[in-house]
Amino acid sequence: MIDNIKMIILWVLDHLSEVRTKRKIVVFKSDDWGSVRIRSKEDQKELIKKGLKITNRFDQYDSLETNDDLEMLFEVLTKYKDQYGNHPVITAVTNVANPDFTRIQDSAFKEYFFETIDRTYQRYPDSDRVMRLVQEGIRNKIFIPQSHGREHVQVNWWMRELSIENSPARKYFENEFFFIPSCDLLHTYRNRDLSAAFDVLDKNDLEVQKEIIYSGLDIFEQLFRYKSTTFTPPAMFYSPSIEISLFQKGIKWLDVGRIFKVPMPDGSEKWQVNYLGRKKKSGLKVLVRNAMFEPNISETDNGVSRCLYDIERAFSVGQPAIISNHRVSFIGRLDVSNRNKGLRALNMLLSKIVHKWPEVEFLSTNDIVHSLK
């Protein structure tokens, strides 16, 4: 019954869309690039000893991308071309900074500091060439970063947790880990964790986040030498109160869910319903994902069949296929077999796409938003 209702709602939203095209466009949107998660296999073991329960694929497999991760991903992407000779392209939804753990600790956990990802890559083993590889991916039009905000943590809430000595946040801090499950938090934040960087409970959260938006988008331009045109809030939650700030900094499209509750600075929540091309009062337009490729959600399913079904459904209603994905699909720092499975699945998916739709066009989010004007 619930699944039937969901299908009806999605059908309605598809037909509300102001975007229609006969072109067979495929876009890959992959989240979380640049952000730290589990630092190493040794850190993962220590975190488990400290009480962290590994209940999701991110804590099981996700870590900062390595040189090998990008080189092997690029190798798969460059095997395929669309009808115009373009390779598949990953729109890499990227956090441009991480907490500066040393300086935060030196402040006795009273002040927040961050470091840009180029510094993080230099600190982490086997990631020293990642920034150069990203620039190579940009030049070859196979890996195009877009903004995922500055860091992947709600700064105010995390610092509140860190201010308490002997808190779980303090214990996990030693391993540079801040994706703390809600059950380990000493305060209640709508029963959510800290990963939604733009979640809000009050106006103070909102003011801090406006500064984070400005600095994050400035850092993005400094690192990649162009402005991000789209913005994806980490973990999707965000207050509409930040939309004007995003628009003023050059963001044109907001990548969010179709149906979800948005947090408000007065502590309340409101339902938001979105469809592709929806125009918001802030001046932003809405970009929604209508397909999914997550090869490590299941141990027995590589996600290819589900993604092909989603693509076909998008094409049937005259929409581009905008595929939702996460970096963890292709990461091997903690477990090489995870990367191998993801790349094999990607290879299979791309092979089937070009065979089934020889007229396919592989575009980045940048390309598609310009074509959808």
Side-chain angles (χ1 to χ4, degrees):
M1 179 67 176
I2 293 175
D3 287 342
N4 289 337
I5 294 173
K6 182 179 178 182
M7 290 301 295
I8 292 170
I9 293 172
L10 293 179
W11 183 89
V12 170
L13 293 178
D14 283 340
H15 286 79
L16 281 174
S17 173
E18 298 181 16
V19 176
R20 290 286 181 269
T21 180
K22 294 181 179 180
R23 297 161 64 189
K24 300 294 189 287
I25 296 172
V26 170
V27 177
F28 286 91
K29 293 215 71 174
S30 183
D31 294 353
D32 299 341
W33 298 88
S35 178
V36 298
R37 183 98 189 195
I38 301 289
R39 185 167 53 181
S40 68
K41 195 69 179 174
E42 292 70 29
D43 283 285
Q44 188 180 56
K45 292 176 182 177
E46 288 183 19
L47 287 165
I48 292 171
K49 287 180 181 178
K50 291 176 179 180
L52 180 68
K53 292 179 173 58
I54 305 297
T55 59
N56 61 73
R57 62 195 173 113
F58 298 100
D59 291 340
Q60 185 174 2
Y61 299 122
D62 199 22
S63 184
L64 190 71
E65 54 270 22
T66 66
N67 305 325
D68 286 348
D69 291 336
L70 283 186
E71 287 176 335
M72 296 175 73
L73 174 61
F74 291 179
E75 186 177 328
V76 173
L77 295 172
T78 53
K79 285 175 61 177
Y80 297 94
K81 291 182 179 180
D82 65 15
Q83 61 171 324
Y84 298 112
N86 300 310
H87 297 298
V89 52
I90 298 291
T91 296
V93 182
T94 302
N95 295 107
V96 294
N98 289 294
D100 188 325
F101 295 89
T102 300
R103 294 181 71 192
I104 293 171
Q105 186 169 17
D106 289 346
S107 77
F109 302 99
K110 289 181 170 61
E111 293 184 72
Y112 178 78
F113 299 92
F114 66 85
E115 65 178 14
T116 54
I117 55 173
D118 51 339
R119 287 188 57 203
T120 309
Y121 290 136
Q122 292 303 312
R123 284 198 305 111
Y124 268 58
D126 305 314
S127 293
D128 58 311
R129 293 186 290 108
V130 167
M131 277 306 298
R132 275 180 284 162
L133 287 165
V134 171
Q135 292 296 344
E136 178 185 315
I138 294 170
R139 287 194 301 273
N140 294 331
K141 299 180 180 180
I142 57 172
F143 192 87
I144 308 295
Q146 287 289 287
S147 178
H148 203 23
R150 198 174 68 189
E151 53 273 284
H152 209 308
V153 64
Q154 215 288 6
V155 170
N156 276 5
W157 299 357
W158 187 46
M159 293 304 296
R160 186 182 183 189
E161 295 292 317
L162 286 174
S163 69
I164 304 169
E165 194 172 355
N166 299 320
S167 64
R170 284 272 191 106
K171 288 193 298 181
Y172 297 151
F173 183 94
E174 297 167 1
N175 303 92
E176 298 195 358
F177 182 76
F178 52 79
F179 287 88
I180 307 165
S182 59
C183 61
D184 282 345
L185 298 174
L186 300 184
H187 298 89
T188 301
Y189 310 97
R190 295 196 182 89
N191 293 316
R192 293 201 279 261
D193 61 24
L194 307 179
S195 63
F198 294 95
D199 208 341
V200 297
L201 281 174
D202 54 40
K203 291 183 178 179
N204 181 50
D205 286 337
L206 190 61
E207 291 307 309
V208 170
Q209 289 170 11
K210 287 179 180 178
E211 188 279 324
I212 288 173
I213 287 169
Y214 294 144
S215 64
L217 290 172
D218 286 342
I219 294 166
F220 184 98
E221 188 173 2
Q222 292 163 13
L223 289 173
F224 304 120
R225 301 166 199 164
Y226 61 86
K227 290 179 180 290
S228 182
T229 56
T230 65
F231 179 82
T232 306
M236 287 296 175
F237 293 108
Y238 82 102
S239 170
S241 303
I242 68 171
E243 289 180 11
I244 292 295
S245 299
L246 291 168
F247 188 72
Q248 290 172 343
K249 287 295 291 182
I251 297 296
K252 306 299 182 188
W253 289 75
L254 184 64
D255 170 25
V256 289
R258 293 186 182 191
I259 308 172
F260 66 108
K261 284 184 177 181
V262 294
M264 306 302 289
D266 62 2
S268 66
E269 293 180 293
K270 293 183 179 179
W271 283 102
Q272 186 176 112
V273 178
N274 292 307
Y275 50 85
L276 184 59
R278 178 190 170 203
K279 296 174 183 175
K280 308 205 76 182
K281 291 179 181 180
S282 59
L284 296 173
K285 293 183 180 179
V286 173
L287 189 74
V288 296
R289 308 180 192 194
N290 53 11
M292 184 175 78
F293 175 59
E294 301 285 5
N296 57 10
I297 284 181
S298 167
E299 292 185 7
T300 58
D301 184 359
N302 64 7
V304 172
S305 296
R306 158 70 189 270
C307 189
L308 290 170
Y309 170 83
D310 290 343
I311 293 171
E312 188 160 32
R313 186 175 177 278
F315 290 166
S316 72
V317 294
Q319 291 188 1
I322 303 174
I323 301 170
S324 184
N325 174 260
H326 287 78
R327 171 189 68 179
V328 68
S329 301
F330 312 119
I331 296 301
R333 187 187 294 275
L334 303 181
D335 187 341
V336 173
S337 66
N338 174 69
R339 179 178 65 204
N340 293 343
K341 178 185 179 182
L343 293 178
R344 283 196 303 270
L346 178 63
N347 186 66
M348 180 185 295
L349 176 63
L350 293 174
S351 175
K352 290 181 179 294
I353 288 173
V354 297
H355 177 76
K356 187 168 186 175
W357 297 286
E359 71 275 36
V360 69
E361 297 178 54
F362 293 121
L363 299 181
S364 70
T365 304
N366 261 359
D367 296 324
I368 195 172
V369 297
H370 284 108
S371 69
L372 296 180
K373 281 183 178 180

